[in-house]
Amino acid sequence: MVSSAYSYRKVDGFDVEDDSKTTTHAQLENEIQNRLGWKRKPSVFWLLPSFLLFNLTMGATAMPKMNILISLICRNVLSQMSQSATAGSMQQTRSPHEAAGESGHSLQSGSGMGNFSVSAVVIGDHNPQCSIKEVESATALLNLYGNLIAGIIGALCAPLWGKLSDRYGRVKPLTAASIVVVLSELVGVLIAAAPDVFSLNWIYVGYLLEGLSGTFILIMALASSYAADCTEDSERNVALGWFHGVMFFGMAVGPIFGGYLGMIGGKSRPLLIFYTALILRIIGVVFLFLVPESLAKSDMRRTQSLVRDDSNQTWASRLKGANPLHALRILIPSKSKVGKPSQRNLIALAGVNTVMFGGFMGAMNVMMLYSQYTFGWGNKESGIFLSIVNFFRTIATIVVLPLAIRLFRRWLSPTGNGAGLRGFDSLDLFLIRISIASDVIGYIGYAIAPTGALFTLSGAVASLGAVGLATSEASMTKLIPKSQTGELLGALGFLQAMARILAPTVANLTYSWTVDRVPQLVFWGIAIVFVAAGGVSFLARPQAVSAEMLEDDGEGEESEAMVPIGGAKQCANC
């Protein structure tokens, strides 16, 4: 960072360094980027096409992928049952003295197996002969093991990918992670296209690759890091809202797109949707090579210099740093950079975001099971419900969020108390609390809804909770240097990955234990968890942070440029 003399000005009773006469390397590079043509200037809209293709294919292949898995498992189960029946027939042939009644029973079993031949199973299609408890049990176990593999490895890899994005930029790690996702999808296509060549055990290779890519959580974190680099604080909520909106749009339209391709392919080409999805993912990866980098080179050099400084550490220190829990230290940065108010805000916002994400993930499967049990919904009704809810989430993040920010900025004072300040303001906190309140109302609505229509209406109300996810992530990035945004969102990705593992497990177990007595209890439980998240949000306080402090590499003296907004008590080193 360029060292030079600063003038001082008063901000709410503080002496804050005035950068009006000097510029840093990052500011100079930002000015240069602003003068670049649109082809070389980083923008959120550069990533949206690839992000849209990624989420569209994810939504389109979710249900067909489950059908593929059931078909492959069914082949294995029926093959084992056929071998057992054949072995029994051979045993009877070697033992002619057995009772005629037992022989007749075995022949009947063998005849029954003829109707359940492996060759009759159509990969990717609905096979009535697969609706047996052995297939259901094996599918549940494989899903459990696969999600654990992808979830745990993804949780371990997310902080590493985040650090790499701080060191080498956002686009390269995002492209690399997307390529790994394509490889994981390719493994699934190969298994489905040639089940006699690739055994079912290869599916675990796909789960392994999915975990190494950091799963969709890491893709979202890197996209958010990119958005944080190329947007101002006042525009960041809207930028991250675009990414969340595109994700929900893919989840809403993807199943419709997948169903249309399924109709075109029919029983003769059941894998058409997977071939199409693979091509679209490859197109998205190719487009990433055209995306300009968002992270300033000075920020990369700052991170790389810190890594070189750490190269003389002992092996014990390096092993400690490799601990995924150690990655959470970014939530408690050194006092020389941000101080206690930012520490409190980062921890509170991370807690709120993780709880909201966990509630969203935990309720997904339970909603489908509950609606089928209570309202008698089938796949068609469940698909319509998911599309409607995700459509409202799209509207909430792409339309409602920008309008709310534009309107409320007129009444709520923004963060900027001066040109050199940025941070987390009262509007951010207001949007987070409103979204939590909508989630609480929505989940209570799920619990008391007597009809499917009111159940769907509750989902529309809870869709405003999507605003809280985007706003909490954006608010966290306003409190740290840009050179640490990737590390921060990688640590948040670790927390979200753990929530992805734990929340569905707890919700499904709760539902299974109470379905015969109080099936709606799980929704009351999730609502109570959101109330707790709302309580945690009151630990956060609006706060302005000096731009110079966020660009500092931490080698200077303790900063006095932190200004809590709206508080009567203000201290330089609080």
Side-chain angles (χ1 to χ4, degrees), residues 362-429:
M364 288 182 62
N365 289 336
V366 173
M367 284 181 186
M368 299 299 98
L369 295 173
Y370 178 83
S371 60
Q372 292 173 9
Y373 177 79
T374 305
F375 309 119
W377 285 0
N379 290 334
K380 179 181 178 180
E381 291 81 3
S382 298
I384 293 174
F385 168 77
L386 288 177
S387 293
I388 292 175
V389 170
N390 285 308
F391 175 77
F392 274 100
R393 287 170 177 162
T394 304
I395 297 298
T397 51
I398 292 182
V399 178
V400 175
L401 178 59
L403 288 178
I405 291 177
R406 177 169 295 186
L407 292 175
F408 283 102
R409 288 288 183 197
R410 299 177 181 178
W411 295 284
L412 299 177
S413 59
T415 298
N417 292 322
L421 294 180
R422 49 179 285 197
F424 165 54
D425 62 23
S426 55
L427 177 58
D428 296 328
L429 198 54

Side-chain angles (χ1 to χ4, degrees), residues 89-104:
S89 299
M90 293 178 62
Q91 181 66 26
Q92 291 175 4
T93 301
R94 291 192 298 268
S95 306
H97 60 277
E98 292 185 350
E102 293 179 2
S103 176

Side-chain angles (χ1 to χ4, degrees), residues 3 66 142 170 220 243 251 263 350 361 388 404 415 426 431 442 447 469 513-514 540-541:
S3 59
M66 180 60 66
L142 194 146
R170 316 301 185 195
M220 190 71 189
F243 285 119
M251 295 174 67
M263 292 175 57
M361 295 299 298
I388 292 175
T415 298
S426 55
L431 291 173
L469 284 173
W513 291 338
T514 61
R541 294 289 186 274

Side-chain angles (χ1 to χ4, degrees), residues 338-349:
V338 292
K340 289 184 179 180
S342 281
Q343 294 176 21
R344 181 183 61 245
N345 284 337
L346 286 173
I347 294 174
L349 291 171

